[in-house]
Amino acid sequence: MSVALSVLDLSPVSSGTPASLALRRSVDLARAAETAGYVRHWVSEHHNLSAVGSADPVVLIGAIAAATSTLRVGAGGIMLPNHSPLAVAESFRSLEGLHPGRIDLGLGRAVGTDPRTALALQRSRQALALDDFEEQLAELHGYVDGFPAGHPFAGIRAQPDDVPLPPVWLLGSSEHGSAVAARSGTGYAYAGHFGSVSPVEVLRSYREDFVPSRYWPRPHAVLTLAVLVAETSERAQALAAATTLATTRLRLGMPGPLPSPEEAAAHRWTLAERNMAGRLGSKLVAGTPEEVVPRLLDVVDRSGADELMVVTQVHDPAERVLSYELLAQEWSRVTQSGEDVSRTGEPV
C-alpha cells in the first residue's frame, strides 16, 4: 500500500506557555516532519480560541515554507466565509511565487469560531446569514482564470498574475462537503478526526461523483485522523487522556490550553465531561506504533484514501514530534515491506 503521510497542525497552546510559542513550535514540527518523510504540513484557521495558536494561516504558512525545502505547506484550511476571495487568491499566489510548487490552498465552509467573533471578522450580519460558499469559490477562481463578459469583477486579476493559483482542496466533515468537492473538481480532505459520517462512505461518494476539472483531472482524497503514538501503551494512554480532556472542554464550550498528562490525571471529571468523552473516544487512535499502524492501514484500505493526514495534540513538543516520528518509521517499515499486518483492535 503506497499511501503518503501528512500533518495537520492545529498549533496547540500547551498549559503554562504563551500562545505565541505554539507558532514557533509549529515551525519546529514542520522541520521534523520533513526529515521524517511527511509529504504535507497544513495549518488551521481558528479565532478567539485560547487552545489554538493558529489564527492567521497565511503568516504561518510563509514561516514554515521558509524554514523547510521540500515539504508542501498549506492551509487546512482557509475559512472562506471570513475572507474576500480576491484577498485569498492574492495571498496564495504570493505564497506560490515565493515557494513555487510547494503551496496548497485548502478551503473550508465553516467560520472556525463562535458567532460573535464571526461577526467581528465578517463585519456584516447579512454575510453571516449567507450560504454562498460555491459562489465565493467561483469568484476566487475568476480572479485567476478570468470572469465571463459582463461580470461586475471582469478585468480584476489576482496578483502576482505570472504564477498559478496553488492546488485547491475543499475540506469537509460531512457528505455535503464531499459533494461540493466532487462537482467542483477539486481535491478533498475529510475531517475524520471529528466528522459525522463514515470515511468509507464519504470518500466513496467523492470518487464516484467526481467531475474532472482543468486543475484536477482525477480525484484525490485525503483522510485526516487524530493519532497519538508513544513508545509504550501506558504512555500513549496517558497522553490520550490529556487530549481527550482538552477536546471535551472544547465541545462543552469551555476551551482552554492543552493540559499535561499529569494535569489530566489529577482532573476530577464531571458527569457531563465523562459523557462527552465517551462519545469522543473512538475518534482518537492511540498506542504504540505496532498497535496504531494496523488500525490506520485498515481504515485507509477500507476508505480508499489516497493520503493519510495526522493530527496529534500533545502537551510536550518533544513528545509530539516523537509521536510523528514513530508513526512515520513504522508506517514506512510496514508499507514498504509489504508485511501483512493483523487488522486487530477497534475499527476507526
Side-chain angles (χ1 to χ4, degrees):
M1 181 183 295
S2 178
V3 174
L5 288 178
S6 293
V7 174
L8 174 61
D9 182 6
L10 304 184
S11 299
V13 178
S14 298
S15 63
T17 65
S20 60
L21 184 56
L23 302 177
R24 295 192 288 274
R25 287 175 172 176
S26 286
V27 176
D28 293 339
L29 175 62
R31 292 192 185 101
E34 182 174 70
T35 300
Y38 286 82
V39 172
R40 303 178 206 278
H41 190 115
W42 283 4
V43 299
S44 65
E45 177 187 343
H46 292 87
H47 301 277
N48 193 34
L49 196 59
S50 59
V52 177
S54 177
D56 192 334
V58 172
V59 171
L60 189 52
I61 289 168
I64 290 174
T68 55
S69 59
T70 60
L71 197 66
R72 292 197 67 95
V73 189
I78 294 292
M79 301 296 103
L80 194 53
N82 296 335
H83 305 277
S84 154
L86 175 57
V88 173
E90 290 186 329
S91 293
F92 277 81
R93 268 190 151 174
S94 297
L95 286 168
E96 180 68 22
L98 291 168
H99 309 283
R102 295 182 53 215
I103 304 298
D104 292 323
L105 172 53
L107 298 171
R109 295 173 59 245
V111 294
T113 190
D114 60 272
R116 189 165 65 113
T117 306
L119 177 60
L121 286 163
Q122 300 182 28
R123 302 181 61 81
S124 167
R125 294 187 185 278
Q126 182 181 10
L128 282 177
L130 292 177
D131 185 11
D132 60 348
F133 177 81
E134 292 186 65
E135 289 81 359
Q136 285 186 296
L137 179 62
E139 183 181 326
L140 188 154
H141 279 296
Y143 293 121
V144 177
D145 302 330
F147 291 100
H151 192 283
F153 297 145
I156 301 176
R157 291 188 59 78
Q159 300 297 327
D161 64 359
D162 62 330
V163 296
L165 187 71
V168 173
W169 303 72
L170 298 193
L171 317 181
S173 59
S174 67
E175 293 174 330
H176 178 78
S178 70
V180 174
R183 64 174 171 262
S184 300
T186 71
Y188 178 62
Y190 176 63
H193 55 303
F194 67 86
S196 59
V197 293
S198 163
V200 176
E201 299 304 321
V202 75
L203 295 191
R204 179 184 297 124
S205 296
Y206 163 69
R207 286 191 300 271
E208 291 176 350
D209 298 337
F210 184 81
V211 178
S213 67
R214 59 175 293 189
Y215 296 105
W216 292 87
R218 62 187 64 85
H220 189 102
V222 171
L223 173 60
T224 302
L225 295 176
V227 181
L228 204 159
V229 183
E231 293 177 318
T232 67
S233 298
E234 293 75 19
R235 187 57 181 172
Q237 294 309 312
L239 296 173
T243 301
T244 300
L245 176 58
T247 307
T248 297
R249 288 170 169 170
L250 176 63
R251 295 295 179 87
L252 292 175
M254 300 179 294
L258 182 63
S260 68
E262 293 73 24
E263 290 170 327
H267 179 70
R268 300 182 68 174
W269 292 70
T270 66
L271 180 59
E273 288 173 338
R274 291 189 182 279
N275 288 339
M276 178 60 72
R279 295 195 290 272
L280 295 172
S282 61
K283 294 293 185 183
L284 176 61
V285 183
T288 65
E290 295 78 14
E291 293 167 340
V292 164
V293 166
R295 294 183 62 190
L296 298 179
L297 285 171
D298 177 56
V299 70
V300 166
D301 185 41
R302 288 186 290 111
S303 67
D306 299 294
E307 193 171 323
L308 178 63
M309 184 166 280
V310 175
V311 55
T312 299
Q313 303 282 80
V314 177
H315 185 274
D316 182 342
E319 283 193 289
R320 185 161 78 126
V321 167
L322 179 61
S323 177
Y324 279 107
E325 290 174 341
L326 291 172
L327 174 62
Q329 291 166 9
E330 181 67 5
W331 187 267
S332 176
R333 186 190 70 80
V334 171
T335 57
Q336 292 183 14
S337 70
E339 180 179 338
D340 184 17
V341 296
S342 174
R343 300 295 200 264
T344 59
E346 182 182 346
V348 177

